[in-house]
Amino acid sequence: MSPTPASARVVAVVVAYNRRDLLAEVLAALAAQESPLERVVVVDNASTDASADVARAAGDLVDLVELPRNTGGAGGFAAGMAVALADHRPDWIWLMDDDTVPEPAALRELLAGVSGTDAVVAGSRVEWFDGTEHPMNTPRPKPFAARRERRTATERGVVPIRSTSFVSMLVRADVVREIGLPIADYFIWNDDFEYSTRALRGRRGVHVPASVVVHKTRVLGSTDADPGARFYYEVRNKLWMFRRSRSLAGWEKLLYGGSSVLRWVRTFARSADRSVLADGWRRGWHDGTRYRPRPNADALAGLGRASDAIAAVEAP
């Protein structure tokens, strides 16, 4: 069972890259949470816009980790979670990007959603500026959840899930120690899909609609919006996940693999430049079938304090 909301030590991890004004807004929102945070670990991914200065100016609540190179969202979350575990003894870790602004009650509602249950992951309702639910961060409901589990969740105002995004994901710290960190070599895209399904395989998680965060992306885009050259990461990482990861059962790989192919077809159909997507698909297929992601100790070597924390957390 999870610690009660009043006693839980929660450390937030925010990955930042060249969005200093939004980072300032995120940090102010975290400082104003109705359920106080133990600490906020800000991982600056080698920003060039003084994002690190914004984090330093936020006061003692913030523990700034400055990386000498951009490790992507996946590397940033792996580094931040490792530092949180190594230095701050959390019961829960709360993950978000530097464009994710939580409402004052967001953490309180997440903790209420898991309190007294065996849920190990909780995700917020993610909205855009106008209050619309953001399609980029829609959780996947848990297929074939038992009737009792669904009924209990409904009574608590939550929804059983199979995956959620790093845009406000609360994960129990002991589970992170058990399953390890996000895979840094994913860099961007599908790192949260792989990690949340890994955390939830054989465990329970919930979506908490009463916990609201605002994802301040430039456009209200879904997962099948044209990603341009970044389509490479979508293809490569999905292949890595379906071929290498143990986060999904065999039937789930067929289910989610089929939905991925359909989404790729929609993406091509809507693209203004299909040659860019075709190139990303070819390169993603090549790297996804011929290579595998490196261990985090190799992918995140040479990062000083962050590398030391990763080695400590993922030691055999």
Side-chain angles (χ1 to χ4, degrees), residues 161-224:
I161 55 170
R162 187 63 182 93
S163 75
T164 191
S165 83
F166 282 162
V167 178
S168 189
M169 171 179 165
L170 187 71
V171 58
R172 216 167 68 189
D174 63 325
V175 172
V176 176
R177 291 188 181 279
E178 179 182 344
I179 69 171
L181 300 166
I183 301 171
D185 260 356
Y186 275 51
F187 195 75
I188 57 170
W189 286 17
N190 295 306
D191 50 329
D192 47 4
F193 182 31
E194 192 281 333
Y195 193 73
S196 63
T197 52
R198 193 188 339 155
L200 288 172
R201 186 167 186 185
R203 305 177 186 88
R204 294 185 181 180
V206 292
H207 174 62
V208 185
S211 172
V212 178
V213 302
V214 181
H215 193 192
K216 296 195 171 183
T217 58
R218 293 181 181 178
V219 297
L220 185 64
S222 63
T223 54
D224 59 1

